[in-house]
Amino acid sequence: MNLTWLEDFLALARTGNFSRAASERHMTQPAFSRRVRALEEWLGVALFDRATHPVTLTETGQWFQSVAQDMLTRVARVPDEARAVADASSATLRFASTHALSFTFLPAWLRGLESGSPVGPIQLVSDVMQQCEALMLQGRVQFLLCHWHAQVPGRLDPSAYRSVKVGSDSLVPVSSPGKNGKARHLLSTSNKQVPLLAYSSESGLGRIVRALRSGAIEKSGSEPVFTAHLASVLKTMALDGRGVAWLPLSLIDKELASGRLVAAGGPEWSIELDIRLFRSEAAVPPAAENFWRKVAGAPA
């Protein structure tokens, strides 16, 4: 049996029309019909009642529909399960980290952990928060390093994923300075509009800003003039005088110290954040388990 026959069967079961199902499967109707017939001959039963319009599933076909879906689902899981078996003896630590922390926090944090003993080989995927969460949910990485706020839940269910605080950071609204050295664009709640440099929906930092400061932003009447998913891009635009961006202090400490960026609002506009390392409650290879114990026992 060819697994593509199962996809053909499900397409026809869904559409009830040979021509439409053949089009979905990107083949001619005669070729599609031959493949459906080949599946029925392999099973030794009729799966469709061709006398009806649209065609309908026979009683056996109705039973086989759930079987076919289950078989394809199980096959789709095989690569991840194979990787899990291979990982059981693997010493490589697989990380997902948001872009901002990959460039700022991660190198020094790892260096600190390695001061006592080597951490071992690391494979890092640096991406936006939404994709990093997807990698964790798919089991493609063992650890996720990200910014976190207690009032802004992510996609990782706390009952299935645990985390430990490994650092602190702040989201600070900043702007380039004007001629007087003060913020070129200053946030206010008095309907004084300022141009905003906003995060896209894929960004974890954007998720936090929207959840905790959208009300104040709406009250100020300010609107985004530029949107991106990377904090480093928004930093460049802020340095160019394009508007106000909420940026991690870890990313802009040098620019604040030199005066190239200045606070664009009072302390009430800033957001205090944890930097957290997440892992699944499921079993991980010994190297990953040892690393977790080391991190959990280290001061944040």
Side-chain angles (χ1 to χ4, degrees), residues 250-285:
S250 58
L251 183 67
I252 56 171
D253 51 354
K254 293 180 181 179
E255 286 76 13
L256 288 174
S258 66
R260 296 178 63 207
L261 288 174
V262 295
E268 70 277 8
W269 289 95
S270 297
I271 303 170
E272 297 303 312
L273 300 175
D274 285 355
I275 299 174
R276 286 190 167 262
L277 185 72
F278 284 81
R279 62 157 288 182
S280 170
E281 289 285 4
V284 293

Side-chain angles (χ1 to χ4, degrees), residues 2-289:
N2 192 321
L3 286 174
T4 58
W5 294 352
L6 301 180
E7 295 172 338
D8 297 336
F9 164 77
L10 291 173
L12 183 55
R14 182 174 59 256
T15 63
N17 184 285
F18 274 90
S19 178
R20 193 179 312 146
S23 178
E24 283 189 12
R25 300 289 293 144
H26 306 290
M27 66 181 72
T28 64
Q29 182 175 334
F32 178 80
S33 297
R34 285 194 297 271
R35 283 171 38 160
V36 173
R37 182 66 71 183
L39 174 62
E40 291 179 314
E41 290 175 354
W42 182 79
L43 291 170
V45 295
L47 298 173
F48 295 95
D49 183 353
R50 292 165 172 77
T52 62
H53 299 282
V55 296
T56 57
L57 289 167
T58 63
E59 185 174 343
T60 305
Q62 293 174 10
W63 164 81
F64 188 68
Q65 187 173 23
S66 62
V67 172
Q69 290 171 335
D70 181 61
M71 290 175 68
L72 289 173
T73 299
R74 290 177 62 84
V75 168
R77 289 202 303 262
V78 167
D80 286 339
E81 291 174 356
R83 280 191 291 271
V85 172
D87 286 342
S89 59
S90 172
T92 299
L93 304 177
R94 292 181 287 110
F95 278 78
S97 174
T98 54
H99 285 296
L101 292 176
S102 297
F103 289 114
T104 57
F105 178 81
L106 180 63
W109 175 62
L110 288 175
R111 189 164 57 249
L113 290 173
E114 290 175 327
S115 61
S117 60
V119 167
I122 292 174
Q123 183 182 73
L124 173 67
V125 178
S126 180
D127 214 318
V128 294
M129 182 62 171
Q130 188 176 90
Q131 184 59 26
C132 288
E133 289 173 323
L135 292 171
M136 276 294 286
L137 291 168
Q138 294 163 7
R140 296 181 181 273
V141 295
Q142 299 155 344
F143 302 106
L144 166 59
L145 183 69
C146 63
H147 286 100
W148 181 86
H149 194 284
Q151 297 178 36
V152 188
R155 296 170 59 196
L156 303 181
D157 185 347
S159 66
Y161 296 87
R162 69 180 105 158
S163 69
V164 61
K165 181 180 177 180
V166 296
S168 300
D169 207 345
S170 299
L171 267 179
V172 182
V174 294
S175 164
S176 63
K179 293 181 179 180
N180 59 2
K182 296 182 179 180
R184 184 188 305 269
H185 307 288
L186 188 63
L187 289 166
S188 169
T189 57
S190 58
N191 291 322
K192 182 182 178 182
Q193 296 185 11
V194 299
L196 297 180
L197 307 174
Y199 292 97
S200 62
S201 60
E202 300 94 340
S203 166
L205 294 177
R207 183 189 298 170
I208 292 170
V209 172
R210 285 189 295 274
L212 301 180
R213 294 293 179 265
S214 60
I217 291 172
E218 289 176 9
K219 188 175 180 180
S220 72
S222 300
E223 295 288 343
V225 296
F226 183 85
T227 301
H229 59 264
L230 292 181
S232 56
V233 173
L234 298 187
K235 171 184 170 180
T236 300
M237 298 300 287
L239 286 167
D240 197 48
R242 299 300 186 102
V244 173
W246 267 264
L247 297 174
L249 190 59
S250 58
L251 183 67
I252 56 171
D253 51 354
K254 293 180 181 179
E255 286 76 13
L256 288 174
S258 66
R260 296 178 63 207
L261 288 174
V262 295
E268 70 277 8
W269 289 95
S270 297
I271 303 170
E272 297 303 312
L273 300 175
D274 285 355
I275 299 174
R276 286 190 167 262
L277 185 72
F278 284 81
R279 62 157 288 182
S280 170
E281 289 285 4
V284 293
E289 191 64 55

